[in-house]
Amino acid sequence: MSSAEVLGQADLPSSGPPTSDSTPRRGRLNPLARYLLVRLALIIPMMWVLVTLVFVLMRVIGDPIQAAQGGRLQPDQIAERKAEAGLDRPLLTQYFEYLGGILRGDFGTTLTDNREVSDILVQNGAATLELTVYALIVAFAVGVPLGRLAARHRDRFPDVVLRLGAILVYAAPVFFVGLLLKLAFTPFGWPSSGRASTSTELALSRAEGETHIMLLDAILHGSPAMVLDVLQHAVLPAVALGLLTGGVFLRLVRVNLLQTLRADYVTAARARGVSEKRVVRKHAFRTALVPVVTVMGMQIAMLLAGAILTETTFEWKGIGYELSEYLVARDFLAVQGIVTLIALIVGVTSFLIDVIVALVDPRVRF
Amino acid sequence: MSITALRVPAVVRQSHGLQRFMLLFGFALMAMFIVVAVFAPWIAPYDFDAVRDAEGVRFGTQQAPSAAHWFGTTVGGHDVLSRVVFGARTAVEVILLAVVLSSLVGVPLGLVSGYLGGWLDRTLVLVMDALYSFPSLLLAIVVSIVLTGGQSSAFGGILAAAVSITVVFVPQYYRVVRNATLAVKSEPYVDAARVAGVRTPRILGRHVFSNVSQSLPVIATLNASEAILTLAGLGFLGFGIEPSAAAEWGYDLNKALPDAASGIWWTGTFPGLAIVLIVLGVTLVGESLNDILNPLLRTRGGDENDADEVAELVADDVPVQEARATADGERVAVLSLRDLSVSFRTDGAPVRAVREIGFDVAPGEVVAVVGESGSGKSVSSRAVMGLLPDTATVEGSAVLTTPGDEPRELIGARASDLRSVRGDEVSMVFQEPSTALNPVRTIGWQIVEGIRAHRDVSVAEARKRAVELLEMVGMPDPAERVDHYPHQLSGGQKQRVVIAMAIACDPDVIIADEPTTALDVTVQASILELLLSLRDRLGTAIVLITHNMGVVADVADRVVVMYRGSIVEQAPVDRLFAAPAHAYTRALLDAVPHLGRENGPSPVVDSEVVLDVDRLVVDFPGGFGRPTFRAVDDVSLQVRRGEVLGLVGESGSGKSTIGRTTVGLQQPTSGSVSVSGQQVSGVSDAKLRPQRRKFGFVFQDPAASLNPRMSVGDCLAEPLRTQTDLAEREVRAKVRQLLDDVQLPGDYEGRFPHELSGGQRQRVSLARALALDPDLLIADEPTSALDVSVQARVLEVFRELQERLQFACLFISHDLAVVDSLANRVAVLQHGRLVEVGPRADVLGSPQEEYTQRLIGAVPVPDPVEQRRRRAERSASL
């Protein structure tokens, strides 16, 4: 093969065109490390912008005490309350104190019940995490296989039904779906509020080493009845929230799969005699997942917003439930703290999503 | 939504089937809610907050549906129907306000930020991304708290809700418009406007916004549905509109929540259904618009414009005759096509791409199928492989005869039979190696997959074979590269991988579809060499599809010429080049420029220097953690009045960057550029503007170099209106004259770019560049996207105008033969450095530098005898 070896020199990357898309990258940093550092560098200012925005809106334009108590208290009483909460000091001082607090994990104290906002994260965060995970499981189980099905039968019966279904699911607010589920299932005695029966909850809260993750606690407690009870309570909220996200996943998977099925490398795989099933499964599906995962990162925000409504509907005592309670109580210091907390959660999850993208897509890794 | 309304008829006409049903159903739902909203006081039986009827009798709480209260009453004793009806009014008002407000803020921000870039853009992106990533409902809550001060007030009504929602949706408009702006901004027609000195606000309005705005109806409708859901969510959490101010569905649903446990269904179901239906209506409209307007998801008819232009070249009186396969040699054809026809269903009339063609391929033979775009050469080979989309109908026969097997018919064969043929007996090499490889799988994985699809071997064995194959195709370090991903390889290496896959199962036939078109000439030469050596060693038959007559002369044994779906001639390669029988073949061969045989102009002496590039350096920052990339490295050159300087080099050599720098589209890192004695580089845009009339620019891609929304006349008039004080009548006269100059009929003024062929567009582009009688013309690969016969026509027009107007021209091209035909002097560029510069005859005729020699040696000339001589010389020297 001497001639080919000689001629092979012509298109070595070193002598080839030095454009970034045709040459292997010659960065000084490991590409994966560089990618993650860039993402991190982008996410930190993003979180800073968010918490600053919350501060500006709530403190500079608005005034939590005035907003909560205006009209109910005399002006001098309001001033007194403000001084108590330290809200009469210069804004810049307050701002730096607020930022410092966030760095220390201190998100302030509620007005109504003098609770540390960070305690809400500890006590109610697990419930929200649990609900989100259940909903994600439902969303994946519904969205991904059905999206594939719709793409494979493009413009034929299953596709039409599934697409209309996905739009319908999207059009129904999660609290309305929740309400319908309640209407449908309460007559059969299916639990439709709270995370577990009162007895289970009591037993678990007394148990040693409580994780606040109800399912885990029940398993650790070793009582199959309690595990079943917890799971039963989770079904309706998980379905309500999961369907919403599942509809989005379905459409995403469908569109991306349709586009990758037209890609040249899919035709190339067919031209190699690879079976159609394998073409879809091994070639189209994995590349189609890359944008799906990216968009999924953006869906986290939607999922969290949905969680607030779902928790309120099913009295699921997570962060969102607490938030809506404090909203009703007009406790805007609590609201500010919780909103800040959620901003941080959004930032951290979008970074985690970037890590997942890197794992799925070798173009990022190498 | 008003934008949507204007486009409705056109959009409905473009839709069909389910899509149209969804669109119309969505519109019907939207219309119903608008009617209900407008006439709410007349439709609803009671006021939304009434608890007593006309006689002053209380309705009672939680009453089941009855004749007096069709939908029953709520826990607060209100009539559910009335609240649902008035709720529609609230919803429609809020959406309209929110959509209008958020587009009014988001669209201009996106336009300005995307177009201007810089720190403003970076800051806005950061803020908008932060807002976007945040749960929209929470944001709306926070804004709503701030706006209402947390208490009941007059402001706590519709406007407050709309403003809260606006803040949420501004980032979405911003993102979409900014991204679209970024995309449009890099289009050549925007660069063309900048080169003509058009001011930024006008560019934003005329060029960017008009092209960005088509995505707005989709965004507006999709956002409207989210706006309703957010409004309902706010109401559900008690933070929307004050219950005393207006009826709101979300609020009612919240109040109905406890009822669900006691089986009272009517209080929640009706407002909930109302939300579902209105969101459904708006979403259906948005989704269908997106589907209809998204070109990625559309099936379209072929572009016949170019074929029309080619037709001008072929004498009409020559009948397009079907040339039968000539019986060359006694060998049995391995692949034999007979009466093969292909047609495509499209949204319009069916398109016949291939008409009853037939040819044979013998073992060890290279048959070149040549033709210009749209001639059906690729389609016919894909038809043989069964790789056409569902919209294609294939008729005729393709028989595969392999040693030891019965002859097999491939057209209409069962999918499983076809699958076992593909990659095993017949395999394919694709044009664009970077898209033919799956980006998320290693090359080894992809080769192994092909082997294991046909051979019952273990992964380890297949992998061993993959390494052997990579070695065979001349891949350096095959044992290591086998685990690389495609993006880690160069273009030529990727094509080697594609070839390795094609030969993995020792196929009898390889169909190579433009295998070297995407590659530089030096790489092309090595890939062709590789294909020939494989043919020699393995005895494989090769069907080589190409438009490049030089490649044909270099490697083909026999040639099949296709024109508009039919075969017009087939002959052994020597006979075809020496004595072409068909008029089309003759026209085609005449149009091909022949490096070394062209007699371009001699150097110009004693005229003033127009373009002076002095020690130019252009760096591109490499981004975080990456080294800076030097695109142009210390280049000095001059172009005189009346002179054409051909600037040649392979991809990435920096030739386009030099072109862009000379017209101020790119700022140099160091060095200077001056035109007619005036400094162009490092000058502010405002200062440069009056200078711009001195130069014109012709871009490569004819499809993108004209604004699709401006007529030809407007395109040509734009530089005149910007740079001169000519009266409208004079502008029109000049436009006519320009059209005449580039030999287009005067009535083309009113045409739009999509109504023109590629060659015609490029002529308009040339006319626009010459509108202001510039001293200097920069032509950046003006003909490389065109077919040869069309190219010949454009070059002819160019040559004639250059001789008449005597402008200086920097002609950038990768095609040495084209440069040979029209340049006075030639400059050769490699990796951003000037390798050699001098009179055309010297540089191309007797190059001094090793790189120039290699470059020229790699260009195949359209002469089989000459190519054979070169090939013999080369193998003798090895």
Side-chain angles (χ1 to χ4, degrees):
Chain A
M1 210 54 238
S2 62
S3 68
E5 271 167 328
V6 170
L7 286 155
Q9 304 308 311
D11 52 293
L12 284 183
S14 54
S15 69
T19 48
S20 61
D21 57 352
S22 57
T23 1
R25 293 166 190 174
R26 283 167 295 168
R28 296 185 196 105
L29 269 168
N30 168 0
L32 180 62
R34 188 185 60 218
Y35 165 79
L36 292 181
L37 274 175
V38 168
R39 302 312 300 172
L40 202 62
L42 286 176
I43 277 165
I44 288 172
M46 186 187 99
M47 292 203 278
W48 171 73
V49 167
L50 269 184
V51 297
T52 304
L53 189 84
V54 172
F55 179 84
V56 168
L57 282 174
M58 302 286 287
R59 290 277 179 89
V60 180
I61 304 174
D63 168 355
I65 310 267
Q66 174 73 35
Q69 307 294 346
R72 284 180 232 172
L73 294 178
Q74 295 303 314
D76 54 323
Q77 283 175 300
I78 288 181
E80 195 182 307
R81 288 281 187 98
K82 275 186 164 177
E84 232 171 78
L87 298 185
D88 54 348
R89 291 169 303 154
L91 272 174
L92 220 54
T93 318
Q94 290 187 49
Y95 175 62
F96 284 118
E97 197 167 90
Y98 168 75
L99 282 187
I102 293 171
L103 289 180
R104 288 194 308 273
D106 172 11
F107 297 94
T109 316
T110 64
L111 266 180
T112 40
D113 52 4
N114 242 335
R115 204 172 151 202
E116 292 278 324
V117 173
S118 47
D119 282 352
I120 299 176
L121 177 66
V122 175
Q123 285 159 13
N124 305 83
T128 303
L129 180 72
E130 227 180 331
L131 177 63
T132 324
V133 170
Y134 294 153
L136 268 178
I137 293 172
V138 173
F140 260 106
V142 171
V144 176
L146 291 184
R148 261 171 80 162
L149 189 72
R152 286 194 66 175
H153 297 272
R154 185 183 179 195
D155 290 339
R156 277 170 299 188
F157 183 70
D159 182 31
V160 171
V161 172
L162 286 171
R163 285 176 69 194
L164 287 179
I167 294 176
L168 203 62
V169 167
Y170 166 77
V174 63
F175 45 89
F176 180 54
V177 175
L179 184 112
L180 290 180
L181 286 172
K182 277 185 163 200
L183 274 173
F185 285 88
T186 33
F188 306 105
W190 191 278
S192 66
S193 68
R195 296 171 68 193
S197 317
T198 326
S199 57
T200 310
E201 218 163 322
L202 260 176
L204 289 181
S205 66
R206 282 200 210 104
E208 286 282 306
E210 193 189 9
T211 61
H212 293 285
I213 297 172
M214 202 62 94
L215 184 63
L216 203 62
D217 283 342
I219 292 170
L220 288 178
H221 202 260
S223 152
M226 281 188 191
V227 174
L228 187 69
D229 181 57
V230 170
L231 282 179
Q232 272 185 336
H233 277 79
V235 169
L236 295 188
V239 167
L241 185 55
L243 274 186
L244 174 78
T245 319
V248 178
F249 283 6
L250 190 159
R251 300 196 307 182
L252 270 176
V253 170
R254 175 184 176 272
V255 164
N256 281 299
L257 202 52
L258 280 180
Q259 282 182 2
T260 44
L261 275 174
R262 294 175 165 214
D264 279 353
Y265 57 81
V266 167
T267 311
R270 287 194 185 119
R272 289 201 291 277
V274 177
S275 68
E276 192 58 30
K277 215 175 186 175
R278 198 182 151 87
V279 165
V280 174
R281 210 176 49 215
K282 297 277 180 179
H283 286 274
F285 192 56
R286 174 136 175 208
T287 15
L289 271 189
V290 175
V292 172
V293 172
T294 319
V295 179
M296 216 177 70
M298 298 174 190
Q299 288 300 312
I300 298 285
M302 190 180 136
L303 201 66
L304 276 173
I308 298 168
L309 296 169
T310 316
E311 287 175 7
T312 311
T313 311
F314 290 99
E315 288 163 58
W316 183 277
K317 299 211 169 59
I319 297 178
Y321 178 81
E322 293 296 320
L323 177 69
S324 76
E325 292 286 291
Y326 285 116
L327 275 174
V328 172
R330 316 249 142 192
D331 180 343
F332 296 127
L333 279 185
V335 171
Q336 177 188 306
I338 295 175
V339 170
T340 308
L341 195 66
I342 291 178
L344 294 190
I345 296 175
V346 167
V348 172
T349 30
S350 59
F351 181 68
L352 290 179
I353 291 290
D354 287 336
V355 176
I356 296 176
V357 169
L359 294 180
V360 180
D361 190 347
R363 283 167 292 188
V364 173
R365 249 182 298 148
F366 292 101
Chain B
M1 276 183 298
S2 55
I3 319 165
T4 326
L6 290 175
R7 301 172 51 102
V8 166
V11 160
V12 172
R13 253 183 284 119
Q14 282 177 41
S15 64
H16 52 86
L18 174 76
Q19 228 176 32
R20 178 175 289 186
F21 166 77
M22 280 168 56
L23 186 66
L24 293 179
F25 184 59
F27 273 129
L29 279 175
M30 273 168 66
M32 182 185 89
F33 275 100
I34 290 170
V35 167
V36 169
V38 171
F39 298 102
W42 293 275
I43 294 172
Y46 309 99
D47 207 3
F48 68 90
D49 55 354
V51 289
R52 297 166 194 274
D53 61 20
E55 275 93 56
V57 180
R58 280 187 174 273
F59 298 151
T61 61
Q62 297 178 322
Q63 297 296 309
S66 65
H69 303 285
W70 290 0
F71 290 181
T73 65
T74 69
V75 66
H78 301 294
D79 178 57
V80 175
L81 175 61
S82 304
R83 290 201 59 89
V84 168
V85 168
F86 276 98
R89 173 173 265 200
T90 312
V92 169
E93 281 173 352
V94 172
I95 301 164
L96 277 179
L97 268 174
V99 165
V100 169
L101 287 177
S102 42
S103 50
L104 277 183
V105 180
V107 172
L109 274 183
L111 272 176
V112 169
S113 156
Y115 187 77
L116 295 183
W119 64 268
L120 174 81
D121 182 49
R122 282 196 289 278
T123 314
L124 276 172
V125 165
L126 183 65
V127 173
M128 293 292 177
D129 273 1
L131 286 180
Y132 185 72
S133 65
F134 200 59
S136 52
L137 184 62
L138 274 187
L139 199 58
I141 290 173
V142 172
V143 177
S144 158
I145 291 173
V146 173
L147 283 180
T148 60
Q151 51 188 306
S152 312
S153 69
F155 202 53
I158 309 277
L159 189 61
V163 170
S164 315
I165 293 170
T166 300
V167 175
V168 176
F169 293 111
V170 164
Q172 301 197 6
Y173 285 92
Y174 169 82
R175 282 167 68 110
V176 171
V177 172
R178 177 179 173 271
N179 288 343
T181 306
L182 283 181
V184 171
K185 183 180 143 185
S186 61
E187 293 281 354
Y189 60 78
V190 172
D191 277 342
R194 286 172 65 199
V195 170
V198 179
R199 280 161 204 279
T200 306
R202 192 184 147 84
I203 292 183
L204 280 177
R206 278 302 295 240
H207 295 277
V208 180
F209 181 71
S210 62
N211 285 292
V212 164
S213 62
Q214 53 185 331
S215 55
L216 285 182
V218 177
I219 310 297
T221 40
L222 292 180
N223 273 351
S225 56
E226 269 186 70
I228 305 162
L229 291 172
T230 308
L231 175 72
L234 274 179
F236 183 76
L237 294 175
F239 259 87
I241 293 159
E242 286 298 317
S244 56
E248 204 282 310
W249 298 326
Y251 173 85
D252 288 356
L253 267 167
N254 181 302
K255 294 288 162 227
L257 205 53
D259 297 350
S262 36
I264 297 169
W265 57 271
W266 58 88
T267 50
T269 309
F270 293 112
L273 275 180
I275 299 175
V276 173
L277 287 179
I278 192 169
V279 177
L280 187 66
V282 177
T283 313
L284 281 177
V285 171
E287 287 272 307
S288 344
L289 282 182
N290 195 18
D291 246 25
I292 295 163
L293 300 178
N294 185 354
L296 276 178
L297 301 171
R298 222 188 308 173
T299 48
R300 266 196 317 195
D303 181 6
E304 299 246 309
N305 292 336
D306 271 318
D308 289 342
E309 188 168 358
V310 177
E312 295 170 18
L313 283 172
V314 182
D316 288 331
D317 53 343
V318 178
V320 176
Q321 64 199 6
E322 178 77 21
R324 272 281 149 216
T326 43
D328 275 297
E330 253 71 284
R331 286 175 296 183
V332 176
V334 58
L335 185 64
S336 172
L337 311 190
R338 288 286 170 272
D339 299 326
L340 189 73
S341 295
V342 182
S343 59
F344 289 96
R345 281 197 315 278
T346 65
D347 290 347
V351 174
R352 288 194 68 189
V354 177
R355 296 157 200 257
E356 295 170 6
I357 64 160
F359 63 88
D360 293 337
V361 190
E365 187 186 33
V366 178
V367 174
V369 180
V370 300
E372 298 180 294
S373 47
S375 62
K377 52 192 194 302
S378 289
V379 171
S380 46
S381 68
R382 286 184 186 222
V384 172
M385 295 285 274
L387 289 174
L388 291 174
D390 294 342
T391 50
T393 314
V394 183
E395 287 161 341
S397 145
V399 176
L400 179 69
T401 315
T402 51
D405 280 315
E406 285 289 295
R408 274 169 288 172
E409 174 62 59
L410 298 181
I411 305 298
R414 278 194 324 198
S416 59
D417 293 340
L418 213 49
R419 191 187 73 71
S420 67
V421 169
R422 285 183 202 150
D424 193 358
E425 277 118 352
V426 186
S427 64
M428 258 185 113
V429 176
F430 294 85
Q431 172 173 356
E432 184 54 73
S434 49
T435 59
L437 294 171
N438 189 331
V440 301
R441 301 286 185 185
T442 63
I443 57 172
W445 187 94
Q446 296 182 61
I447 301 174
V448 165
E449 175 185 53
I451 297 171
R452 279 167 53 89
H454 302 287
R455 302 279 183 275
D456 192 15
V457 293
S458 70
V459 175
E461 284 171 79
R463 194 184 138 88
K464 223 177 110 226
R465 170 92 177 124
V467 176
E468 282 170 25
L469 286 165
L470 286 176
E471 187 163 14
M472 199 187 288
V473 296
M475 175 75 79
D477 306 324
E480 192 198 325
R481 295 284 162 102
V482 72
D483 290 323
H484 276 29
Y485 287 93
H487 70 270
Q488 297 171 286
L489 305 176
S490 74
Q493 288 172 337
K494 278 185 244 182
Q495 196 59 303
R496 283 167 194 270
V497 173
V498 173
I499 293 174
M501 286 181 188
I503 60 170
C505 297
D506 299 324
D508 301 283
V509 184
I510 296 176
I511 298 175
D513 189 353
E514 304 265 10
T516 57
T517 306
L519 307 173
D520 280 323
V521 275
T522 50
V523 183
Q524 163 172 293
S526 61
I527 293 287
L528 291 176
E529 192 74 18
L530 170 64
L531 277 175
L532 285 185
S533 77
L534 290 171
R535 188 268 310 258
D536 293 344
R537 280 154 32 99
L538 309 171
T540 318
I542 296 176
V543 178
L544 178 73
I545 298 164
T546 182
H547 68 280
N548 186 330
M549 294 310 277
V551 170
V552 175
D554 192 21
V555 299
D557 297 317
R558 221 150 45 76
V559 188
V560 171
V561 183
M562 285 189 75
Y563 173 63
R564 303 186 89 170
S566 304
I567 291 177
V568 292
E569 181 167 3
Q570 46 180 309
V573 66
D574 290 310
R575 198 166 83 207
L576 187 100
F577 279 88
H582 193 272
Y584 174 71
T585 317
R586 281 198 296 275
L588 192 64
L589 286 173
D590 280 348
V592 178
H594 188 143
L595 177 60
R597 225 180 265 173
E598 299 290 340
N599 37 10
S602 337
V604 173
V605 278
D606 286 348
S607 69
E608 78 269 30
V609 171
V610 175
L611 172 67
D612 188 5
V613 176
D614 187 34
R615 311 207 64 170
L616 182 70
V617 175
V618 181
D619 285 340
F620 291 109
F624 179 70
R626 276 191 217 163
T628 301
F629 172 61
R630 180 153 289 189
V632 179
D633 192 1
D634 198 21
V635 169
S636 300
L637 44 85
Q638 283 157 358
V639 188
R640 293 169 182 277
R641 180 158 179 76
E643 181 186 53
V644 178
L645 175 69
L647 186 59
V648 299
E650 297 187 292
S651 54
S653 60
K655 49 190 194 306
S656 286
T657 310
I658 293 177
R660 294 176 63 82
T661 313
T662 52
V663 293
L665 288 174
Q666 168 71 45
Q667 286 300 326
T669 308
S670 69
S672 71
V673 177
S674 48
V675 177
S676 303
Q678 299 263 10
Q679 184 94 355
V680 172
S681 54
V683 175
S684 78
D685 231 31
K687 271 209 176 137
L688 189 56
R689 197 166 292 126
Q691 304 288 333
R692 286 195 184 278
R693 57 178 313 163
K694 288 193 201 145
F695 41 77
F697 202 108
V698 182
F699 294 87
Q700 173 174 0
D701 187 357
S705 54
L706 302 174
N707 185 340
R709 283 163 188 265
M710 272 166 82
S711 71
V712 168
D714 280 342
C715 276
L716 293 179
E718 185 169 58
L720 297 168
R721 290 187 182 130
T722 315
Q723 294 280 0
T724 66
D725 305 323
L726 292 182
E728 193 52 32
R729 204 163 38 83
E730 294 165 303
V731 169
R732 308 248 320 165
K734 177 82 182 167
V735 166
R736 292 253 165 179
Q737 188 223 315
L738 285 168
L739 283 173
D740 192 51
D741 281 348
V742 294
Q743 298 169 23
L744 286 174
D747 61 355
Y748 269 46
E749 212 183 329
R751 291 210 184 184
F752 281 87
H754 68 268
E755 298 171 295
L756 268 51
S757 73
Q760 289 169 339
R761 278 182 220 150
Q762 219 48 337
R763 282 191 259 164
V764 172
S765 217
L766 182 60
R768 178 179 55 188
L770 297 176
L772 296 166
D773 302 316
D775 299 334
L776 172 70
L777 181 77
I778 313 288
D780 188 359
E781 303 264 11
T783 59
S784 58
L786 305 175
D787 279 323
V788 274
S789 51
V790 180
Q791 161 175 292
R793 188 75 191 274
V794 172
L795 290 179
E796 188 188 306
V797 169
F798 171 85
R799 221 176 276 127
E800 192 266 318
L801 282 170
Q802 203 270 334
E803 249 161 54
R804 180 148 61 85
L805 304 173
Q806 287 291 307
F807 50 81
C809 176
L810 182 65
F811 193 95
I812 299 165
S813 180
H814 72 283
D815 191 332
L816 297 180
V818 167
V819 168
D820 195 15
S821 75
L822 52 79
N824 304 83
R825 287 192 305 135
V826 176
V828 183
L829 214 56
Q830 185 195 20
H831 300 341
R833 281 205 199 87
L834 213 50
V835 175
E836 192 166 359
V837 60
R840 176 192 58 85
D842 296 354
V843 175
L844 298 179
S846 50
Q848 300 304 305
E849 295 296 321
E850 187 268 333
Y851 175 71
T852 318
Q853 289 164 359
R854 191 147 61 88
L855 203 60
I856 292 170
V859 178
V861 294
D863 179 352
V865 182
E866 167 69 13
Q867 281 302 127
R868 249 196 311 278
R869 190 188 62 74
R870 285 198 196 180
R871 202 166 273 288
E873 212 170 73
R874 219 176 299 153
S875 58
S877 74
L878 277 176

